[in-house]
Amino acid sequence: MNAALHFSKYQALGNAYVVLPVLPDDAPAAPILVPYLCDWRIGVGSDGVLFGPLPSAAANFRLRIFNPDGGEAEKSGNGLRIFARYLWDKGLVKDESFTIETAGGVVSAQVLEAGHQVRVDMGRVDFLNSAILEQVQSGGKNLSICRVSIGNPHCVVLMQHPTEAVARRLGPLLESHPSFQGRTNVQFMEALDRHNIRIEIWERGAGYTFASGSGSCAAAAVAYKLGLVDGNVTVQMRGGSVSVELQEDYRAVLTGAVTHICDGVLSLDGIG
């Protein structure tokens, strides 16, 4: 195959995404192409791939989001912030807010500080278990969890002093736990004070990750619902921190930094 892809690469708090425009007709299908792109040895190296902008009847732009295993994700807070910055860099948006359609719903975004910060209204966080907290057993431990959705599924685990080792051990077990319908993203969350929480993250299709935008919103909403924090929350992760503003209806607004890494051309010789 002689096709080549022009791509841009960005990172948000250590989450790296490759952004691709419309694919050529002879490019491999996403389940083949995406794992190749995300591979750090033979591809570009990424935590996910963003396809867009695509035409939309419901918003200004449409975006498709893929995990490194080739599976499509409904939403990604960091992916959306990166895509917004990409649109800014390409001159497709200016200072005003704009809308992006995802498989998990339409969100609004705004690029701030000349591209250095991006704000995304992620929509409402919905609580999926009426008791808020429930007990499940996984990895020989009894865990207090909360199931929520912000257009994509999350399992928030309340825990003192969560660590990367805990996330790596329990994350894959909870991701495919039989009590969930399909796979879920997992956040191990500790409330530090009225305005700060800390999370360790295991993402479906990606594994242990440095940061998660939708996961930050999910964890902040759970902490808020339980009365552990006030409405403005700083979420601390291994990759850095983001701000989550929570409305009374649990609508979450995510704000944080985005950095452009590089642009390039990827040969597709030998793929497909």
Side-chain angles (χ1 to χ4, degrees), residues 93-265:
V93 299
K94 297 189 182 298
D95 294 340
E96 299 81 8
S97 64
F98 53 94
T99 53
I100 304 170
E101 179 187 356
T102 72
V106 175
V107 306
S108 63
Q110 187 174 15
V111 180
L112 309 171
E113 297 181 15
H116 297 294
Q117 294 278 321
V118 178
R119 174 184 174 94
V120 177
D121 185 335
M122 293 288 289
R124 180 188 168 114
V125 178
D126 293 316
F127 295 84
L128 305 181
N129 45 323
S130 58
I132 308 304
L133 285 179
E134 61 181 287
Q135 302 297 311
V136 300
Q137 189 173 66
S138 183
K141 288 184 173 290
N142 291 317
L143 303 173
S144 296
I145 72 166
C146 184
R147 307 164 189 257
V148 299
S149 171
I150 189 166
N152 60 346
H154 291 272
C155 170
V156 179
V157 184
L158 269 68
M159 181 176 290
Q160 289 188 337
H161 312 305
T163 63
E164 176 183 343
V166 167
R168 287 188 181 276
R169 182 166 63 88
L170 297 179
L173 300 177
L174 288 168
E175 175 189 355
S176 55
H177 195 279
S179 64
F180 293 97
Q181 294 183 351
R183 296 184 300 163
T184 186
N185 301 293
V186 187
Q187 292 80 45
F188 300 86
M189 185 267 288
E190 175 185 28
L192 302 175
D193 55 40
R194 297 300 303 178
H195 295 284
N196 292 274
I197 65 173
R198 190 173 69 85
I199 60 174
E200 292 281 351
I201 306 149
W202 181 270
E203 289 198 341
R204 57 177 180 165
Y208 180 79
T209 56
F210 280 18
S212 171
S214 62
S216 295
C217 295
V222 170
Y224 185 53
K225 182 80 167 179
L226 294 173
L228 301 175
V229 298
D230 297 327
N232 294 323
V233 183
T234 297
V235 183
Q236 301 176 15
M237 298 160 281
R238 183 173 177 185
S241 62
V242 292
S243 169
V244 178
E245 304 167 44
L246 292 163
Q247 311 298 325
E248 290 185 0
D249 63 352
Y250 295 97
R251 195 172 193 88
V253 180
L254 178 71
T255 305
V258 176
T259 303
H260 175 244
I261 297 174
C262 65
D263 297 309
V265 181

